[in-house]
Amino acid sequence: MIPCIESGIPGFDELTHTDTVTGGIPENSSTLIYGPPKTGKTIFCNQFAYKGLFIQEPCLYITTDHGIKQLENNMLEFLLPIEKFIDDNSLYVIDTVTDVSSGLPIESETIIFSHNNNPTDIMVKVGSAVNYINKESLRFRSVLDSAVNLLGYNDYMLIVRVLKAYLMRINEFGGTPIITYTEDAVDKRVETMLKSMVDNIIRLDGNNLTVEAMKGIGKRSSPYQITNKGIEL
């Protein structure tokens, strides 16, 4: 039986349940969420992270698209309040967007700032984050949303190597990572390389959620909608 962790997406765990898979996201595997713009990729990540936090699984969230304040607001919009988890340090955020030149917001033990154009610094901070989280829990989740912003600021091949190192680091320490990517945002060859480095591939097209590859199951698809509680299948 392949053990899975709860996705936090209503209907997804049932879609991925088989006689040999418990349903959800296979534990300690890596997943690419991709598709056209504005199809719910970030919302999927938000629900995945929140579900873990709610059941006391820490989360490392690398946000390259929204600053920490916008991340809070976006999740609250779907009834996923994260203030409590920021306060108790179970949510560790690496924010590569917020301009801290004004001195605000203030960095903390688990709210760390970096820059999209400095992948080396991001990886150093990922290492520190993993060491911090791993002391608290052997099981944790990680989200990198999104790869596109890193690709937009840096050499493509460098970021492919960085993402591969990121996934290996998270898996090595027992975590379950997700990366998002916007379809056709960069050279198609990059998308192919991203798909080749993960265990699971999920595509959202605005109407259907398709599991293109996942440990233990074949291709599966289901219609979905985005409600005020997030994605529902």
Side-chain angles (χ1 to χ4, degrees), residues 12 46 75 84 104 106 131 162 184 206:
F12 182 87
N46 293 167
M75 291 186 71
K84 170 184 181 297
L104 294 174
I106 299 172
N131 288 333
V162 165
D184 297 328

Side-chain angles (χ1 to χ4, degrees), residues 101-116:
S101 59
S102 63
L104 294 174
I106 299 172
E107 201 169 44
S108 71
E109 191 172 22
T110 52
I111 304 295
I112 308 296
F113 299 99
S114 188
H115 303 280
N116 280 332

Side-chain angles (χ1 to χ4, degrees), residues 3-7 12 24-32 44-45 48-49 52 57-61 130 133-134 137-144 166-179 199-200 202 214-215:
C4 295
I5 58 176
E6 296 176 74
S7 66
F12 182 87
I25 303 291
E27 185 175 6
N28 198 214
S29 67
S30 54
T31 301
L32 176 70
F44 189 109
C45 293
F48 173 75
E57 290 179 11
C59 181
L60 166 60
Y61 204 115
V130 169
I133 292 171
N134 204 237
S137 176
L138 296 178
R139 170 187 280 185
F140 66 98
R141 303 179 182 211
S142 185
V143 169
L144 193 157
Y166 159 74
L167 293 172
M168 290 177 63
R169 177 62 61 90
I170 299 299
N171 286 148
E172 178 185 0
F173 282 83
T176 304
I178 281 179
I179 290 178
D199 301 302
N200 317 308
I202 299 169
M214 183 171 282
K215 284 182 175 180

Side-chain angles (χ1 to χ4, degrees), residues 81-117:
I82 56 172
E83 184 177 2
K84 170 184 181 297
F85 305 116
I86 292 175
D87 290 343
D88 70 14
N89 293 335
S90 57
L91 175 60
Y92 196 117
V93 178
I94 298 177
D95 173 352
T96 68
V97 178
T98 299
D99 180 2
V100 294
S101 59
S102 63
L104 294 174
I106 299 172
E107 201 169 44
S108 71
E109 191 172 22
T110 52
I111 304 295
I112 308 296
F113 299 99
S114 188
H115 303 280
N116 280 332
N117 61 356

Side-chain angles (χ1 to χ4, degrees), residues 17 50 64 116 128 132 135 168 187 195 222:
H17 174 79
Y50 186 84
T64 70
N116 280 332
S128 299
Y132 178 94
K135 291 177 183 175
M168 290 177 63
D187 192 307
K195 288 180 178 179
S222 171

Side-chain angles (χ1 to χ4, degrees), residues 144-207:
L144 193 157
D145 181 35
S146 104
V148 170
N149 292 305
L150 296 178
L151 291 164
Y153 280 89
N154 303 280
D155 176 79
Y156 292 173
M157 292 310 299
L158 170 63
I159 294 306
V160 168
R161 291 195 296 271
V162 165
L163 293 175
K164 189 172 184 179
Y166 159 74
L167 293 172
M168 290 177 63
R169 177 62 61 90
I170 299 299
N171 286 148
E172 178 185 0
F173 282 83
T176 304
I178 281 179
I179 290 178
T180 67
Y181 168 78
T182 301
E183 197 170 21
D184 297 328
V186 295
D187 192 307
K188 201 72 175 177
R189 290 173 296 178
V190 174
E191 185 174 306
T192 301
M193 286 187 275
L194 292 178
K195 288 180 178 179
S196 72
M197 68 174 67
V198 297
D199 301 302
N200 317 308
I201 302 171
I202 299 169
R203 183 173 186 267
L204 303 176
D205 68 5
N207 297 306

